[in-house]
Amino acid sequence: MFEAYKLSEISEMKKIQLKGKDFLQLSDFSTEEILYMLDVAQELKVLQKQGKPQPHLSGRVLGMIFEKSSTRTRVSFEVGMLQLGGHGIFLSSKDIQLGRGESISDTAKVLSRYVDGIMIRTFSHDSVEELAEHATVPVINGLTDLQHPAQVLADLLTILEHKGKFAGLKLCYIGDGNNNMAHSLMEGAAKVGMDISIASPTGYLPNGKITEKAIKAGKLTGSAVMITNDPLEAIKDADVIVTDVWTSMGQEEESSLRLKAFQAYQVNKELCKYAKSDFIFMHCLPAHRGEEVTEEIIDGPHSVVFDEAENRLHAQKAILKLLLA
Ligand code: CP
Ligand code: NVA
């Protein structure tokens, strides 16, 4: 049972060995492994704040392939590598041969001869799986259409910092249930024993297979997974409220359709009245104020979105240290 673990004890779990593994989705990891990553992230964050050196990846290089735009992911991975004594190389798919049709498998094999790890942000989740299959170095998912696990590891770290626990908490996600954030949050919450409720309109409900897997994982940790069309039902007594853009990268042509479909799914003051009075509000950013969330909420006292953004750096440094060092 999750309650049996105290985060301070996780650092004793030195037998957890993640070196050489890929980081593609949270469902690939055990509860203990995820808690261990969070523990290492907290340690690295303290060291960073104290200005202490963390040369765990001295001389190591991370190749960072981007097929989509990014502010946080690009900067936090690059800065993270630097703070760990290594280096990150930004590889825009517009500039490398992958963008001109070189195969994923050849790209994986070639990059593996130069770098110690590959981070990729792309469209199809299958591309990341294929890259990982052919690379001989760890592959890290920096967002696909299906998953955004690095973001959710940072989100879990943020929840832990603000709430001090996972068990007994209810996370509510309102909006597009069929996107990368909803899927990774569902996997992450189920693994750490936090209840999760997702409210989305019909046609935008989460992927069935991911939902089934999360329900199964939740049974082991005591996490309830609830999917509904009703935002009021989902947000009732929530400790953590999360939303994301209604139109994700690559869906721009559907944006006017989506704008209509999600009208009743805006996180605003009225809706948040149904949550616990000390709820925190999270958003992976970038946000569209006035669409998925009002300014009043995202810029208000319950919002922790900039702590969340900062934690991308610390959570990813833990991933990098554990996989690459
Ligand atoms: N949250 C997130 O992944 O942000 P970027 O798209 O800026 O990397
Ligand atoms: N769901 C969003 C997340 C951005 C970080 C997208 O894929 O565009």
Side-chain angles (χ1 to χ4, degrees), residues 69-74 121 148 151 249 284-286 312:
S69 306
S70 171
T71 299
R72 282 143 288 267
T73 306
R74 176 182 174 178
R121 164 167 289 197
H148 198 1
Q151 175 70 54
M249 289 180 275
C284 67
L285 305 177
R312 292 295 302 278

Side-chain angles (χ1 to χ4, degrees), residues 40-102:
V40 172
Q42 284 186 320
E43 277 172 21
L44 290 170
K45 184 168 181 175
V46 170
L47 289 176
Q48 187 60 35
K49 299 282 177 199
Q50 291 172 342
K52 299 218 172 105
Q54 312 135 60
H56 304 287
L57 295 180
S58 176
R60 306 288 169 91
V61 177
L62 180 74
M64 310 190 306
I65 303 173
F66 281 90
E67 294 200 274
K68 290 177 175 174
S69 306
S70 171
T71 299
R72 282 143 288 267
T73 306
R74 176 182 174 178
V75 177
S76 56
F77 268 107
E78 198 166 325
V79 170
M81 280 305 289
L82 191 74
Q83 289 180 358
L84 292 169
H87 182 71
I89 306 179
F90 174 68
L91 302 164
S92 162
S93 63
K94 288 191 200 89
D95 303 326
I96 60 173
Q97 299 288 8
L98 185 68
R100 293 184 56 248
E102 185 167 14

